[in-house]
Amino acid sequence: MKEGIYTLANDAVYDQLVALLNSIEANAGSDIPVCVIAYNNQLDKVRLEVANRKNVTLLENTAMFQRWEDFSYQVWKTHPNALQVWQEQGITTKFYRVGENHRYCAFDPDSPFERFIYLDADTLVMNSLDFIFKQLEESDFVVYDFQYKDPGHIYNIESSMLFKVFDDVKIKSEIFCSGFYASKQNMFPQERRDWLISQLAAGEAEVLYLRAPNQSVLNYMRMRSDLSIHNFALTLPATQKTGNSVTSSHFTNSDNILYDKGTRLTYLHYIGVSSKLIKKVCAGENLDFPYRDIFLHYRYLHEPKNCPKFTTRPKPYNRPPNLATKILRKLKLTP
């Protein structure tokens, strides 16, 4: 297939996955191909959901997964202390968040789509994505976010090596959030992956950010390979660009579509809203989170009778301190 959308999921994010798929159907098109990449083997609910959707497939290619897990393991073996730090934190897998690396399968030569948009499962599509696909005719990567304002969640900004590897202009304009990006098949063939690992092993690995390993490595892969990138957050006129993060409180709702000062959002990312919280709310617990009604609308788009009914004021969700801190930091990522 020429074009399609990827997401990454397992049963832990089942409610978010259903909401995402419904939002794509409602706002981007009911026939656009979607491929769900398996995060791990916890897929009972996901398999049933995929089976009921004509345009959705499930990728469970263990050989493909292994290729990219091996690559990621080689990447982190080059880091001065990443594997040791994660081991001391009680992480028993080879490296932190192994399943997240399955999203790299979108770049595999055996992957389903020649050109793709990747969306985290905790995302809602609010508008057509045609302009993203169109831009891929001219760019290797296409993004639409404000992560460039916060390089500290992409790279280790305390590393003395960082500005030797990348110049200041690239750091301030080319980094992106790994929750939404578009690219193409086979951008990172084996020869290029081997070269990237060699550069990391030569001392560059210390620039990687351990707390968001997938996001950090993906940005490094693109920047070090000097692949072109287009960020609509930097190129659209101020009157046309919108935010995309659930931490922005000023979006307005019209018919279950969100607008930023009158301009329709392309997508909404529920960054910092945990899957455990979503699961509790869908089970009927009256806990609050930003744009909750919008999420519930899309989650139960095809089964409105099953949507939880709340008649009292929702209870504030007592977020763990580290999560609250992350959300506050993300506030500056809006225009």
Side-chain angles (χ1 to χ4, degrees), residues 175-219:
I175 60 176
F176 63 96
C177 173
S178 63
F180 180 101
Y181 56 92
S183 190
K184 305 169 188 176
Q185 189 182 62
N186 210 25
M187 282 284 95
F188 301 102
Q190 185 65 55
E191 183 179 355
R192 179 170 287 173
R193 299 201 300 272
D194 291 342
W195 179 81
L196 288 168
I197 290 170
S198 72
Q199 301 309 298
L200 289 164
E204 295 182 10
E206 70 173 59
V207 309
L208 300 178
Y209 179 60
L210 272 60
R211 293 182 64 185
N214 177 273
Q215 180 164 267
S216 186
V217 172
L218 182 58
N219 272 269

Side-chain angles (χ1 to χ4, degrees), residues 100-313:
E100 286 194 2
N101 294 271
H102 292 176
R103 78 182 70 192
Y104 295 150
C105 290
F107 298 110
D108 199 276
D110 296 328
S111 61
F113 307 134
E114 295 176 22
R115 298 188 297 184
F116 66 86
I117 296 173
Y118 173 84
L119 293 147
D120 273 351
D122 60 342
T123 305
L124 294 179
V125 173
M126 291 278 146
N127 207 342
S128 169
L129 300 173
D130 290 349
F131 75 106
I132 303 289
F133 282 119
K134 179 69 174 176
Q135 185 60 42
L136 280 176
E137 296 176 5
E138 301 179 18
S139 308
D140 296 320
F141 273 74
V142 182
V143 300
Y144 189 178
D145 67 59
F146 301 86
Q147 186 70 53
Y148 63 86
K149 296 184 179 181
D150 184 22
H153 280 81
I154 300 295
Y155 292 122
N156 173 16
I157 57 176
E158 296 180 358
S159 167
S160 60
M161 178 68 71
L162 182 58
F163 291 102
K164 296 178 183 177
V165 179
F166 303 119
D167 63 47
D168 185 59
V169 174
K170 284 182 176 290
I171 293 293
K172 291 181 178 178
S173 64
E174 294 192 4
I175 60 176
F176 63 96
C177 173
S178 63
F180 180 101
Y181 56 92
S183 190
K184 305 169 188 176
Q185 189 182 62
N186 210 25
M187 282 284 95
F188 301 102
Q190 185 65 55
E191 183 179 355
R192 179 170 287 173
R193 299 201 300 272
D194 291 342
W195 179 81
L196 288 168
I197 290 170
S198 72
Q199 301 309 298
L200 289 164
E204 295 182 10
E206 70 173 59
V207 309
L208 300 178
Y209 179 60
L210 272 60
R211 293 182 64 185
N214 177 273
Q215 180 164 267
S216 186
V217 172
L218 182 58
N219 272 269
Y220 175 88
M221 290 163 63
R222 189 214 64 78
M223 290 176 67
R224 200 66 177 88
S225 301
D226 202 27
L227 298 173
S228 62
I229 188 168
H230 184 102
N231 188 347
F232 280 101
L234 289 169
T235 60
L236 283 173
T239 56
Q240 295 180 25
K241 70 179 67 175
T242 73
N244 51 58
S245 172
V246 74
T247 55
S248 296
S249 59
H250 64 279
F251 300 148
T252 56
N253 178 7
S254 178
D255 294 328
N256 296 298
I257 299 294
L258 290 178
Y259 293 81
D260 187 347
K261 300 175 184 175
T263 302
R264 185 170 176 167
L265 268 64
T266 299
Y267 70 99
L268 179 69
H269 191 184
Y270 283 81
I271 190 165
V273 180
S274 75
S275 58
K276 292 180 180 179
L277 170 59
I278 295 288
K279 187 175 182 179
K280 288 180 179 180
V281 172
C282 291
E285 194 167 345
N286 193 5
L287 297 171
D288 199 16
F289 63 87
Y291 304 106
R292 185 182 73 168
D293 290 345
I294 291 283
F295 174 83
L296 291 174
H297 167 78
Y298 288 103
R299 167 61 183 89
Y300 295 98
L301 186 67
H302 297 307
E303 44 179 327
K305 292 182 180 179
N306 293 332
C307 184
K309 306 297 190 295
F310 301 118
T311 58
T312 59
R313 180 173 295 181

Side-chain angles (χ1 to χ4, degrees), residues 17-31:
L17 174 64
V18 173
L20 170 60
L21 294 177
N22 287 342
S23 73
I24 292 171
E25 176 186 324
N27 300 320
S30 59
D31 295 325

